[in-house]
């Protein structure tokens, strides 16, 4: 089955700087890669996703890049703000039928004011 | 759009009793719902995939007789924790896919279960 590794487990950046979180996956058939943000005690919220037919996707301060050959994808947050502090999870799935998401272990991002 | 609700948000029960958690898709029909368990400071662990009108598919190591899942309609799935024990205390989260052909999952707010 799919295995998703996520690094780093914790990340602290100064407000205004950029943050990068990286994930690798094992199943070359995976073709859907979402990122979720989870604040303490709350639901994971989908913040951006990418499919394997594109290499990069951007939404305002958030971008995701995908390298299918190397089987890794990354989340980039620019101009970080205190409200970006949360736990971020990457995930991978095959876009077919009822395929499940396999989650990474999460990254606790802290933005230092 | 794509709002998922869960009820209750918190529940405390005694050992040996059963607890039912409801997951509803409020503004879309969900043929597939997923149930996850999350321990403090850990990732989401998939327990089972629930399909409307059919039996749930459980992940390896998850006891189907202990965690009963019913997906009776396109907007409601329930998870019943039977004969609960303190080790079942956890944060249970459901998610739903908005219709056939969709891949995105939207999560409910979670239910914190404490078994005393």
């Amino acid at each position: 089955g799919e295995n998703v590794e996520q690094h780093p487990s914790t990340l602290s950046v100064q407000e205004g700087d950029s943050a990068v979180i990286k994930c690798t996956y094992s199943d070359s058939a995976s073709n859907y890669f979402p990122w979720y943000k989870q604040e303490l005690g709350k639901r994971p919220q989908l913040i951006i996703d990418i499919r394997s037919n594109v290499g990069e996707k951007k939404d305002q301060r958030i971008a995701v890049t995908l390298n299918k050959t190397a089987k890794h994808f990354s989340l980039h947050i620019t101009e970080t703000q205190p409200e970006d502090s949360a736990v971020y999870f990457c995930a991978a799935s095959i876009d077919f039928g009822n395929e499940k998401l396999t989650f990474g272990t999460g990254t606790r991002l802290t933005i230092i004011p | 759009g794509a709002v998922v609700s869960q009820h209750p948000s918190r529940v405390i029960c005694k050992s040996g009793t059963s607890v039912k958690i409801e997951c509803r898709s409020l503004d879309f029909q969900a043929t597939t719902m997923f149930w996850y368990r999350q321990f403090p400071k850990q990732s989401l662990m998939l327990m089972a995939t629930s399909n409307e009108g059919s039996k749930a598919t459980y992940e390896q190591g998850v006891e189907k007789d202990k965690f009963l899942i019913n997906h009776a309609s396109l907007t409601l799935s329930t998870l019943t924790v039977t004969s609960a024990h303190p080790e079942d205390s956890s944060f249970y989260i459901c998610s739903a896919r908005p219709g056939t052909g969709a891949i995105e999952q939207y999560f409910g707010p979670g239910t914190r279960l404490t078994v005393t």
Side-chain angles (χ1 to χ4, degrees), chain A residues 32 36 38 41-44 46 49 51 89 93-95 97-101 103-105 108, chain B residues 4 32 34 36 38 41-44 46 49 51 59 91 93 97 103-109:
Chain A
Y32 174 67
Y36 287 87
Q38 186 179 31
K42 297 190 175 180
R43 77 184 80 198
L46 179 67
D49 57 14
R51 286 171 169 77
F89 292 99
S93 177
I94 299 172
D95 184 1
N98 296 326
E99 290 301 325
K100 58 191 179 184
L101 287 173
F103 282 86
T105 48
R108 183 171 299 278
Chain B
V4 178
T32 304
F34 301 87
Y36 294 85
Q38 188 176 33
K41 298 186 179 181
Q42 293 191 23
S43 188
L44 290 90
L46 180 65
T49 301
N51 292 297
E59 293 299 299
F91 194 51
I93 311 178
R97 281 198 170 132
I103 186 70
E104 299 86 357
Q105 288 187 31
Y106 295 93
F107 285 83

Side-chain angles (χ1 to χ4, degrees), chain B residues 23-26 28-30 33 52 71-77:
Chain B
C23 177
R24 293 182 185 271
S25 55
L26 297 185
F28 63 95
Q29 293 186 331
M33 290 184 172
E52 186 267 337
H71 194 155
S73 77
L74 287 172
T75 59
L76 174 64
S77 177

Side-chain angles (χ1 to χ4, degrees), chain A residues 56-94:
Chain A
E56 184 174 359
K57 183 176 179 181
K58 191 173 181 180
D59 182 4
Q60 299 183 334
R61 298 187 296 109
I62 295 173
V64 57
T65 58
L66 171 65
N67 183 326
K68 285 180 58 180
T69 304
K71 289 191 282 190
H72 66 68
F73 56 111
S74 301
L75 177 71
H76 305 253
I77 305 174
T78 59
E79 301 173 21
T80 53
Q81 301 168 3
E83 53 265 35
D84 295 329
S85 295
V87 178
Y88 292 80
F89 292 99
C90 63
S93 177
I94 299 172

